[in-house]
Amino acid sequence: MFFYLNGSAQNALIGTVNSEETNSPLEQVSVYLPQLEKGTVTKNNGEFRLTNLPAGSYKIVASFMGYRTFSATILLTEGTTTLNIILSPSAIEMEEVIVSTPFHKLQRENVMKVEQASVESLRKMGAITLADGITNIAGVENVSTGIGIGKPVIRGLSSNRVLVYTQGIRLENQQFGDEHGLGISAAGIESVEVIKGPASLLYGSDALGGVLYLNPEQFAIMNSTEGDINFNYFTNTHGINANAGLKTSGEKFKFLVRGAYTSHADYKSGNDVRVTNSRFREYDLKTAVGYQSGKFKTELRYNLNSSDLGIPEEIGVQNLGRTPLLPYQEINNHIISSKNDWFFNKSSLKITLGYIYNQRKEFEEEEDPTAPSESLTELEPALDMDLSTFSYNIQYNIPNIGRWHFIAGIQGMNQTNKNSGEEVLIPDAKTADIGVLATSHVHFEKSDIQLGLRFDNRSIKGEETGVLGEEGYIAQLDRNFNSFNAALGYRVDLLANLIGRINLASGFRAPNLAELTSNGVHEGTNRFEIGNPNLNNENNFQTDIALEYNSKHIEVFANGFYNVISDYIFIEPNGEFVGPNPVYNYIQQDANLYGGEIGFHFHPHPLDWLHIQSSFESVTGRLDNDDYLPLIPANKLSNTLRIEFGTRKKWLTNGYTFVTLNSIFDQNKVATFETPTEGYNLLNLGLGLNLKLFKQDIGLEVTAVNILNEDYISHLSRLKVDDISNIGRNIRMGLSIPL
C-alpha cells in the first residue's frame, strides 16, 4: 500500500495572497493545510506553491499579523489547483486551527468551545513552568506544591478528571497523586488547547472534567532549516532555563531536535523567607522525524524528561542549594509516539500509536534524624514504581457526505504498574481500556451541528500485597467499568459578528488504583489513606452555553456551564489517626458544579496598538448534602493593558509592553475539612523587544510577576495546611536568538 500510494499522486496547489484594503500582494503569509500538516509562506510577490499533495477535499488556512485568518475547504484535483486568497485587515490576533477536536476548524468555526494559547504567550506572562503558565487561560487553574509541582484544574475539576494529551497520545505518569506534576517541559511545546467540559466522546475515561492538549513543535516549512537558542533567568529562585533547537525539512523528509535544562533553588515568598526544599531541576529532550509523499504521511516523536523535585514540608534551612533535600522525587518519562495518515480521494485513515515508560522514585526522610546521612546517590527509594503504557487510536475519516463529515474510531490502552521499592502505595496491576466511537459534523450556511456516541470498557486487575490484618495490606482487585457517552453541540451565527454555542455532553471516569486500593501512609501528603474497592464510575452531564462577539476592534465572550456529577469520588478525614498521620477515606456522593467566564478584548480605532483585556471566572462546587467540594478555585478577575509597537528603527523591528492586575477574591465556600482563604492582588509587568544587531535578530524579554511582593497563600496550594506562602516577587529576563 505504501509504494502504491507513494507513486499515485504528485499534485500541486499554487496561488496568491493579496490585501483586500490595498489590493497589493502580501509577503510572508502562512498558508497551511492542517490535515496534511503541510505549509509554506508567500514570496514577495504574494505567490505560494505547495507540491506533492494528494487529491481530495482539505481545509486550507492563511494567516498574517494584522489580518483576519482565512479558512476554506478546497478540492485538490489531479495536476495543479489554483487558489487566490484575499485577506481583510483586522486588529484581532490570528486564529489557530483547533487540533484537539478532529474536524480541523478555526476557533470561531468550532462547535465545541476550545481555548487555545501559544506557549510563547504564556512565557511572556512570566510563567516558570507549563503548569504555572496555563493559569493565564480563563477557567484554568493549578493545584501546586511549591513551584516545581503542579497539575491542571479545569472549572474546579483536577487529578484524573482532567486528561493530558501530548504528542497526540494520552499522558500516563502516575498522575493520580496530589503531589504529582505534569512531567512535561514547555520546551518543544508550541501551543496549549483546553477543552472545558466532558470530552469522553473523543478521549474516553479520565476526560470527565476536560482535556489539556499539548501541541508539539511543528516541523520547519518545506525546503528550509531553522534553529534557535533561548535562555531565561529568574531572580527569585536564581533559576535558569535554557533550550536550543534545530529543525530542517526537505521535499519529503523532516527532522527536529530540542534540548532543555532547568534548575531552580528554593523560592522566596512575599515575607522574604525561602521555602525549604522547593528546589527542582529538569532535563528534557524532544526529537522527531517525519516523512510525507503523496497520499502517505508519517511522523515518529520521542521525548525524554528527567526531573528531581524537592517536596517542601516546612520552613528550614535558608540557602540557594539546588540539590533536592529529603523527601524528594526522581521521575523519568520516556514518551514515544507514531502518527500515520493515509489519504484517499474521499476519505482518510489515521493510526496513532504511543508508548510511555514512567519511572517514579520517592526518597523519604530517615526515621532517625541523628543517624549518619548517606549521599543521595546511595539512598534506596521508599517508593519505586514503573508504569508502562501502550496506547492506540485508529480513526477513519469521511469528510464529504453531502453536508456531513463523519469519523469512526477505536481507541484503547494496555497498562502495567510494578513496584520495586520497600513501600507500596498502589499494587502491581494491569489496566486495559477499549473504546469505540462515532462522531459527525454537519455544516449549514450559518450554523453547524456536532454529535456523537461512544462506548468504553476498562478492566483493572490488581495483585494482593502485604499480609492480611497488617498495616499496608491490599487485597486482590478485579473490576470492570463501562459506560456509554454522547455529545451534541450546536453553533450558529446569530448576527454578522455574534456566535452562539450550546453543548450537551456526558462523561465518565473509572476510579483509579489509589482510590480503590490505598491502605497506608502517603508520604507526599502526610496522611493515612484508605481506599474503597467497591467504588463506582463517576458519571456526569454538562450543559455549556457560550456567546462570542468579534468585530474589527472588540471581542466579547460569555461562557456558562452547569455540571451534574453522580458518584463523585473525594477523600475526607474520618477523625482517626495512625501515628501522627490523620486517616482519610475515599467516599462517593453526587455533586454539582456551576459557573463560567466572561471577558472582553478592546483595541480602539485608530489606536490598534493599544489592547485592553479583562476576564472574570467563577466556579462553585457542592455535594448533595450542600457541603462544598474541596480544592475549588476562588473567583478571579484579570485586567491587562498591553501596547504593541511595530518597526521604529532599522535595529528595532517590533515589541510590546503590558501591565496586568490579577485579583483573586476570598474563598469562603470551602469543604468541611478546609479553611477559608483570604483574597489577594498580584501586579505583573512585562516588556519585550525584537532587535537587529550586527545583522543578527535578537529577542529580549523582561517580566516582573508579583512586583509588589505580595505575601499570599493560594487556596489551591497543597502547602496551605502548613501555612507556607506562595512565591513572592520574581523577575524573568529572557534572551532568544534565532539561527
Side-chain angles (χ1 to χ4, degrees), residues 638-656:
S638 179
N639 294 290
T640 298
L641 176 68
R642 188 171 82 250
I643 295 173
E644 296 178 346
F645 46 92
T647 301
R648 292 289 187 249
K649 305 286 184 180
K650 288 184 178 180
W651 52 270
L652 174 60
T653 54
N654 54 66
Y656 68 89

Side-chain angles (χ1 to χ4, degrees), residues 27-282:
E27 183 183 1
Q28 293 297 306
V29 176
S30 170
V31 181
Y32 187 62
L33 298 168
Q35 289 156 282
L36 303 178
E37 296 185 48
K38 198 164 190 175
T40 186
V41 295
T42 56
K43 300 177 182 178
N44 55 7
N45 59 1
E47 293 182 353
F48 66 89
R49 182 180 183 87
L50 287 165
T51 59
N52 199 24
L53 304 174
S57 179
Y58 302 101
K59 170 78 74 176
I60 186 169
V61 175
S63 55
F64 190 58
M65 186 65 70
Y67 289 83
R68 185 177 176 87
T69 300
F70 171 86
S71 170
T73 299
I74 60 170
L75 179 64
L76 297 180
T77 57
E78 300 290 341
T80 300
T81 302
T82 302
L83 177 67
N84 296 316
I85 299 172
I86 304 296
L87 295 184
S88 56
S90 175
I92 298 172
E93 279 79 358
M94 294 184 299
E95 289 186 279
E96 300 291 337
V97 173
I98 299 300
V99 180
S100 54
T101 58
F103 297 106
H104 301 99
K105 303 291 184 181
L106 292 177
Q107 287 172 296
R108 68 172 181 265
E109 301 170 334
N110 217 48
V111 174
M112 184 184 297
K113 177 67 174 177
V114 179
E115 303 289 350
Q116 196 269 0
S118 69
V119 168
E120 179 184 8
S121 67
L122 301 180
R123 184 193 69 239
K124 289 177 179 178
M125 300 299 289
I128 296 178
T129 64
L130 184 59
D132 178 33
I134 61 175
T135 62
N136 292 292
I137 301 173
V140 183
E141 293 298 332
N142 174 37
V143 174
S144 64
T145 307
I147 58 173
I149 301 174
K151 59 200 322 155
V153 179
I154 299 178
R155 289 176 166 174
L157 296 176
S158 60
S159 190
N160 277 77
R161 298 179 183 92
V162 173
L163 186 60
V164 179
Y165 252 63
T166 181
Q167 298 178 195
I169 62 175
R170 57 186 295 153
L171 179 63
E172 293 289 325
N173 62 349
Q174 309 277 7
Q175 65 269 26
F176 59 85
D178 286 350
E179 83 294 0
H180 296 177
L182 278 176
I184 293 287
S185 169
I189 302 294
E190 196 155 288
S191 62
V192 176
E193 295 176 13
V194 180
I195 300 176
K196 295 186 288 191
S200 290
L201 171 68
L202 299 176
Y203 298 107
S205 180
D206 301 346
L208 175 141
V211 174
L212 180 67
Y213 198 98
L214 308 177
N215 291 312
E217 181 176 4
Q218 294 183 4
F219 292 102
I221 63 174
M222 188 172 56
N223 296 320
S224 68
T225 298
E226 304 173 18
D228 58 83
I229 299 173
N230 305 278
F231 180 82
N232 294 278
Y233 176 73
F234 300 86
T235 58
N236 185 291
T237 62
H238 294 246
I240 56 173
N241 166 257
N243 73 83
L246 177 69
K247 52 186 178 181
T248 183
S249 295
E251 288 282 345
K252 297 181 180 180
F253 286 98
K254 310 171 186 179
F255 173 77
L256 66 82
V257 62
R258 182 169 298 277
Y261 173 71
T262 300
S263 175
H264 289 269
D266 295 338
Y267 76 82
K268 184 186 293 186
S269 63
N271 57 14
D272 291 329
V273 174
R274 294 205 175 272
V275 177
T276 308
N277 207 25
S278 59
R279 61 195 72 178
F280 69 97
R281 58 193 177 196
E282 177 185 60

